[in-house]
Amino acid sequence: EMIHALEPCIGITGERAHAMLGGVRGVVSVPWAAAMHVFENVDIPRWYAICKKALPNFELLSPDCKGALLSLAYNRGASFNQSGDRATEMRAIKQHMVNKDFAQIPAEFVAMKRMWVGKGLPGLLARREREAQLFQRGLGRPAQPSAPPVVVPAVPKPSSPAKGPTAVAVGTGLVAWLAHALGVDTQ
């Protein structure tokens, strides 16, 4: 029933997709465990590979640093080579990666909030801040947040084991961060 309801939505984006949301909202319900299984076993490994390919020295980073970059790329796309003002900080992150100047990267997460300030998107501003904090934590020294520190809830182990070192390397930090960002009680 859910697949049948979603078929007309395939390939639809933007305003057209938003208009179709009401028609599937009452029919489509993805269980949390199923969504997390796909996220941990499909999305994280896919975006890990994308970040590894796009960002030199990615493998030198701690799992928290990788998780922050993976979250950024997952949400904004791997636009580390894109031209234009919207990708300024993304290009800077790549250059910091090339130079192994990892300590400069949290400031780029915070700087890119400039694009959304005053646009009524507090969740997006908070997401960039939390990614900066996660990256900073991965550098092994305390974050210098411009907002109160984030307390990340513990995340239970998935019922099926994660596949490969990719999920193990970034899964726990990113999944915990995502659960907190979404306001999901994982206790």
Side-chain angles (χ1 to χ4, degrees):
E1 185 180 340
M2 286 191 284
I3 292 172
H4 181 70
L6 287 171
E7 284 177 337
C9 303
I10 295 172
I12 308 298
T13 60
E15 289 301 318
R16 287 180 55 216
H18 185 72
M20 297 177 87
L21 185 61
V24 298
R25 184 170 280 146
V27 179
V28 176
S29 176
V30 179
W32 179 255
M36 286 306 296
H37 179 77
V38 171
F39 185 69
E40 291 175 337
N41 296 291
V42 177
D43 295 335
I44 289 176
R46 176 176 179 250
W47 283 96
Y48 185 99
I50 289 169
C51 288
K52 184 177 173 181
K53 182 177 179 183
L55 295 169
N57 301 309
F58 185 73
E59 290 297 326
L60 299 177
L61 298 173
S62 71
D64 283 341
C65 291
K66 290 176 186 176
L69 289 170
L70 195 149
S71 173
L72 178 67
Y74 179 82
N75 285 283
R76 288 204 60 196
S79 55
F80 301 104
N81 294 319
Q82 191 174 26
S83 62
D85 183 56
R86 290 188 56 80
T88 298
E89 294 83 7
M90 300 294 278
R91 288 189 310 273
I93 287 171
K94 181 173 182 177
Q95 191 58 54
H96 296 315
M97 292 294 292
V98 167
N99 298 339
K100 297 181 186 176
D101 194 5
F102 307 132
Q104 299 302 313
I105 294 174
E108 301 298 345
F109 282 99
V110 174
M112 72 179 68
K113 292 182 349 181
R114 68 180 168 81
M115 294 182 287
W116 303 291
V117 170
K119 297 196 176 164
L121 300 167
L124 190 53
L125 298 174
R127 180 186 303 157
R128 293 292 95 86
E129 188 70 38
R130 289 183 188 126
E131 289 163 341
Q133 292 172 17
L134 181 62
F135 196 97
Q136 187 71 45
R137 186 174 71 205
L139 292 174
R141 49 183 189 222
Q144 303 284 322
S146 61
V150 175
V151 177
V152 179
V155 176
K157 298 221 183 273
S159 57
S160 61
K163 295 180 182 169
T166 301
V168 173
V170 298
T172 303
L174 185 60
V175 170
W177 176 85
L178 178 67
H180 177 75
L182 296 174
V184 174
D185 181 10
T186 59
Q187 299 299 322

